[in-house]
Amino acid sequence: MAPKNQARDNREARERLRLYQARQGLHERQRRRRVRDNVVGGIVLVVVAALATGSQLAFAGAQGSGKASASASATATPTPSATAGNTGDVPSKSIAKGSTWTGTLTLNKDVRLGIELDGQKAPQAASVEIKLIQEQFYNGTTCHRLADSTSLQFLQCGSANGDGTGDAGFQYGPLENVPSDGDYAKGTIAIARSSSPYSQSTQFFIVTGDTTLDGSTGGYTVVGKVTSGLSDLVSEITSKGISDPGSDGTGEPKVKTTITGATIEREQ
């Protein structure tokens, strides 16, 4: 991307995040100050972890691959109390109401995915995703990371800054509905995170081919699945390859991918 376009995208990302935070009242300064006072020692640990991982998909990798670990992590802005519990104004898990929610996720205007969120097995994560979609947080954000190896295939989306960093002013846990065997089936939608189980925020990843992720760090919350359109995602975007892969084999998709629309509603 040319510097001019990058600067524009950065401005749009900052404005989108500012508007979202204004709507939701996410700046609870007094609360954050109390949290920071209680976990000063945790700040260094979280910052070091963030520098070491580089992105929120940095902790899970293909088991037994013998290669640098690629993971389903999302590097949200380091939060001092990421190891101590939720931070910021996390949407209530009652939103999902133990129900199934269905909707759409549109990429690049013409790749339309049918999605289903599981409010029974992952009530907290489903509630967060529902709220973010309802508030149009994802509109205009990019899918910044692609993995396309034999046992590691996913597309990661939802970064507030479009590069794997940033959040919506909150981070949450606990992990929910994590596969006990570390196998994430094709079509799975799961929540990206960094080292702490309470570092989930806005980023998620769509599994485009059967994927095995190392469960030694706790695994990843499975919030739902793609019910239609996955073949279009593969043919139009992920099959085109990765630009400048990193040491773990993942990188920005060659086809620049933007979320251009998202809908969600509760099944009756």
Side-chain angles (χ1 to χ4, degrees), residues 218-233:
Y220 299 88
T221 294
V222 173
V223 69
K225 61 184 178 182
V226 173
T227 57
S228 64
L230 194 62
S231 60
D232 292 334
L233 171 60

Side-chain angles (χ1 to χ4, degrees), residues 3 5-15 160-163:
N5 291 336
Q6 182 67 63
R8 182 193 62 199
D9 290 347
N10 289 341
R11 287 195 301 272
E12 291 175 351
R14 289 194 296 270
E15 178 64 10
N161 295 332
D163 59 0

Side-chain angles (χ1 to χ4, degrees), residues 7 15 68 70 87 164-165 172 220 226 233 254-255:
E15 178 64 10
T87 59
T165 65
Y172 72 94
Y220 299 88
V226 173
L233 171 60
K254 285 186 177 179
V255 176

Side-chain angles (χ1 to χ4, degrees), residues 166-185:
D167 58 27
F170 62 79
Q171 293 187 15
Y172 72 94
L175 300 178
E176 304 169 294
N177 196 28
V178 177
S180 59
D181 57 4
D183 291 338
Y184 294 75

Side-chain angles (χ1 to χ4, degrees), residues 49-164:
L51 291 174
T53 59
S55 76
Q56 269 185 349
L57 270 179
F59 290 88
Q63 293 180 344
S65 66
K67 298 180 179 180
S69 175
S71 62
S73 56
T75 308
T77 302
T79 300
S81 61
T83 59
N86 292 347
T87 59
D89 189 7
V90 180
S92 170
K93 66 180 181 180
S94 66
I95 294 173
K97 299 180 180 178
S99 301
T100 299
W101 291 67
T102 58
T104 61
L105 185 69
T106 304
L107 307 177
N108 293 349
K109 296 184 179 180
D110 57 2
V111 175
R112 182 184 172 99
L113 305 176
I115 61 173
E116 180 178 294
L117 303 181
D118 194 333
Q120 273 195 319
K121 293 182 179 179
Q124 182 61 83
S127 294
V128 169
E129 293 304 303
I130 290 165
K131 192 66 172 177
L132 291 171
I133 291 172
Q134 289 176 335
E135 294 297 327
Q136 299 182 3
F137 174 86
Y138 288 124
N139 291 10
T141 60
T142 62
C143 295
H144 66 280
R145 193 176 190 190
L146 175 62
D148 190 21
S149 61
T150 302
S151 58
L152 196 69
Q153 301 177 49
F154 60 76
L155 180 67
Q156 186 175 343
C157 310
S159 161
N161 295 332
D163 59 0

